[in-house]
Amino acid sequence: MASTGSQHLTSFLHASFPAAVPSSLSESDIPHLSQTLYPNVFYTDNEKVEISTWLISASHIAASDEDEAKHEERLGTLNRHLSTRTTLLGSKPSVADLALYYRLSPAVKSWSSEERTGEKGYHHIVRHIDFVQNASMFGLSLKPEEKVDIDPDDIKFVSKPIGPKEEKERKKKEKTAAVATPTGAATKEAQTRLAIGKSKDENPAQDHQEAQRNPAPGISVNSTTSAPVPKREKKEKPAKQLKAAPASTPLSPNLIDLRVGHILKAIHHPDADSLYVSTIACGDPPGTENTSEHEGTVVRTVCSGLNGLVPLEEMQGRKIVAVCNLKPVKMRGIISAAMVLAASPRLGPGEEDHHAGPVELVEPPEGAQAGDRVCFEGWKGEPEGQLNPKKKVFESLQPGLTTDGEGRIAFDAQAVEALKGEGKPAGLLKTKAGGLCKVKSLKGATVR
């Protein structure tokens, strides 16, 4: 069984699905096969993009020209992904599962028991391979000799899987326990008192009723002659201090979280002709909201209306500048978690924007890394976690984003209504090291 080449993959699929997969099927049609192969399964727009992503990953994961370290990194990422999923999409079968089986099964056949199920083995990949080749839900027609021989009892190492939610909850409990640990007898006594059902603000009347129902040994309780319970003095509560109103943040272009981004890959949006869907590394730490993992790197999914304006091949593997604190928006079914910054000619008075271009992507300086922050010189301010869409901060500042006579990205305060009269020169967009961001050729352009 060959392990490379889209035509060989087509032949593999044709053997099991001759009516659905013609032998002449082109590579570009393979991502759309899932609905044909599994007509009873509904795929969301995000899942369609994920299928395309995994098909690309599958073609790389068994590449013969890849160095060993990168190969192991890809396998590790895939193994972690499958540790909490039955299939690549979670529980739904797709053509990506079949492609992955086709690419990886020859390699898994040659793996030792230690590589398969040892302490550093790829347990979940092996489980997925076995599931795909035997489960009727995938519909593969394989001869016994074509299958990977997997012994379910040959387990070298068993580890308890911990999902991301469980790990987060564990750390939260540890932090809470550390804060709540008693440090003295008084604390211990207070905890004991709370543990038996007493609250800090005990009710004397309730205590008296409880004593009559459950008298202590040796004490006779008579409801008609019991002494009145003295009223407990109320403690005066300290007057609440009024919190000072938060100081309003001065308007500044540096409230925008502008970072160097690295486009790892870009594809056509499955349901929008004008959009690209890019996978971009922006330097986010693991677990950041609205991020995912791609081949061991934390990434954001970004939709941009650049189809027809920037060739798709020019989007691949390049560095860009991304706006990272806009509120994520759903664009034709796919959540976009950032914005790619680009320049286009500034419109004259009365002109309409027909989105005909030209458009040039903002380029960070050479040597800049994904996640490096870029900001406008001469302006103070730190980026907010997420710009409040109701305050329209970006919309207010965007008219000031421009290019100067050398194509360098600059901020012109005089073009922003709320900042007119500040008297500040146009600040250039720079990295911390002083490198300048620019576009290829457009001068005096609009940047957005």
Side-chain angles (χ1 to χ4, degrees), residues 1 7 51 67 110 135 164 191 195 204 218 241 245 253 317 319 325:
M1 184 187 296
Q7 194 57 46
I51 289 170
D67 65 86
S110 64
Q191 284 195 331
Q241 293 184 348
K319 299 283 181 63
N325 60 343

Side-chain angles (χ1 to χ4, degrees), residues 81-82 85-93 97 128 131 137-138:
H81 178 81
L82 289 170
R85 297 165 176 84
T86 305
T87 70
L88 289 173
L89 296 182
S91 60
K92 300 176 182 179
D97 294 290
H128 180 261
F131 184 52
M137 68 185 289
F138 289 103

Side-chain angles (χ1 to χ4, degrees), residues 197-272:
K198 301 285 186 179
S199 65
K200 291 183 180 179
D201 299 316
E202 295 171 338
N203 188 320
Q206 289 179 345
D207 289 349
H208 177 57
Q209 293 171 4
E210 181 66 20
Q212 291 211 32
R213 288 194 296 270
N214 302 297
I219 297 178
S220 176
V221 178
N222 188 323
S223 61
T224 59
T225 60
S226 57
V229 178
K231 289 185 177 180
R232 189 172 181 176
E233 292 183 5
K234 290 184 179 180
K235 292 182 180 179
E236 291 186 7
K237 294 183 179 179
K240 289 184 179 180
Q241 293 184 348
L242 296 176
K243 291 183 180 180
S248 58
T249 305
L251 191 62
S252 162
N254 289 339
L255 297 177
I256 305 171
D257 186 2
L258 296 173
R259 297 186 220 163
V260 175
H262 183 193
I263 302 178
L264 303 183
K265 65 183 184 67
I267 61 174
H268 292 283
H269 192 297
D271 293 316

Side-chain angles (χ1 to χ4, degrees), residues 246-320:
S248 58
T249 305
L251 191 62
S252 162
N254 289 339
L255 297 177
I256 305 171
D257 186 2
L258 296 173
R259 297 186 220 163
V260 175
H262 183 193
I263 302 178
L264 303 183
K265 65 183 184 67
I267 61 174
H268 292 283
H269 192 297
D271 293 316
D273 293 339
S274 64
L275 299 179
Y276 289 145
V277 181
S278 302
T279 300
I280 305 179
C282 297
D284 296 291
T288 301
E289 193 174 2
N290 296 306
T291 63
S292 58
E293 190 179 274
H294 175 73
E295 298 182 354
T297 302
V298 179
V299 295
R300 298 185 180 211
T301 298
V302 180
C303 297
S304 51
L306 298 171
N307 193 358
L309 299 171
V310 177
L312 185 60
E313 56 269 21
E314 290 186 16
M315 298 286 290
Q316 312 296 336
R318 72 179 295 168
K319 299 283 181 63
I320 49 90

Side-chain angles (χ1 to χ4, degrees), residues 375-435:
C375 53
F376 291 96
E377 62 177 349
W379 289 87
K380 295 180 180 180
E382 290 295 322
E384 298 181 356
Q386 184 179 108
L387 295 175
N388 188 338
K390 293 182 179 179
K391 294 183 178 180
K392 298 191 178 300
V393 176
F394 181 79
E395 291 80 356
S396 299
L397 294 167
Q398 187 276 320
L401 303 181
T402 186
T403 59
D404 66 4
E406 298 178 40
R408 300 174 300 183
I409 308 303
F411 180 75
D412 180 12
Q414 301 309 307
V416 178
E417 193 65 34
L419 296 176
K420 284 182 178 179
E422 290 280 339
K424 290 188 177 183
L428 297 176
L429 187 61
K430 292 184 174 183
T431 62
K432 190 176 182 180

Side-chain angles (χ1 to χ4, degrees), residues 79-272:
N79 196 61
R80 287 192 298 273
H81 178 81
L82 289 170
S83 66
T84 56
R85 297 165 176 84
T86 305
T87 70
L88 289 173
L89 296 182
S91 60
K92 300 176 182 179
S94 72
V95 70
D97 294 290
L98 306 182
L100 192 66
Y101 175 85
Y102 171 74
R103 305 289 187 190
L104 269 185
S105 56
V108 177
K109 277 185 178 181
S110 64
W111 283 356
S112 66
S113 296
E114 196 63 33
E115 287 176 303
R116 291 186 180 194
T117 60
E119 184 172 357
K120 296 183 179 179
Y122 304 110
H123 308 63
H124 305 294
I125 292 177
V126 174
R127 186 263 308 157
H128 180 261
I129 291 290
D130 194 41
F131 184 52
V132 172
Q133 69 183 4
N134 290 310
S136 59
M137 68 185 289
F138 289 103
L140 284 181
S141 299
L142 300 173
K143 298 176 182 177
E145 60 270 21
E146 291 179 314
K147 295 184 178 181
V148 181
D149 186 16
I150 297 174
D151 182 358
D153 297 321
D154 186 13
I155 307 295
K156 299 298 181 185
F157 179 79
V158 178
S159 60
K160 184 181 178 182
I162 300 177
K165 288 186 178 179
E166 290 82 359
E167 179 68 11
K168 188 176 180 181
E169 189 65 24
R170 181 185 67 78
K171 290 180 180 179
K172 185 178 179 181
K173 286 181 179 178
E174 285 181 358
K175 186 176 180 181
T176 304
V179 173
T181 301
T183 56
T187 308
K188 186 174 182 180
E189 182 182 353
Q191 284 195 331
T192 304
R193 188 166 65 248
L194 289 174
I196 61 174
K198 301 285 186 179
S199 65
K200 291 183 180 179
D201 299 316
E202 295 171 338
N203 188 320
Q206 289 179 345
D207 289 349
H208 177 57
Q209 293 171 4
E210 181 66 20
Q212 291 211 32
R213 288 194 296 270
N214 302 297
I219 297 178
S220 176
V221 178
N222 188 323
S223 61
T224 59
T225 60
S226 57
V229 178
K231 289 185 177 180
R232 189 172 181 176
E233 292 183 5
K234 290 184 179 180
K235 292 182 180 179
E236 291 186 7
K237 294 183 179 179
K240 289 184 179 180
Q241 293 184 348
L242 296 176
K243 291 183 180 180
S248 58
T249 305
L251 191 62
S252 162
N254 289 339
L255 297 177
I256 305 171
D257 186 2
L258 296 173
R259 297 186 220 163
V260 175
H262 183 193
I263 302 178
L264 303 183
K265 65 183 184 67
I267 61 174
H268 292 283
H269 192 297
D271 293 316

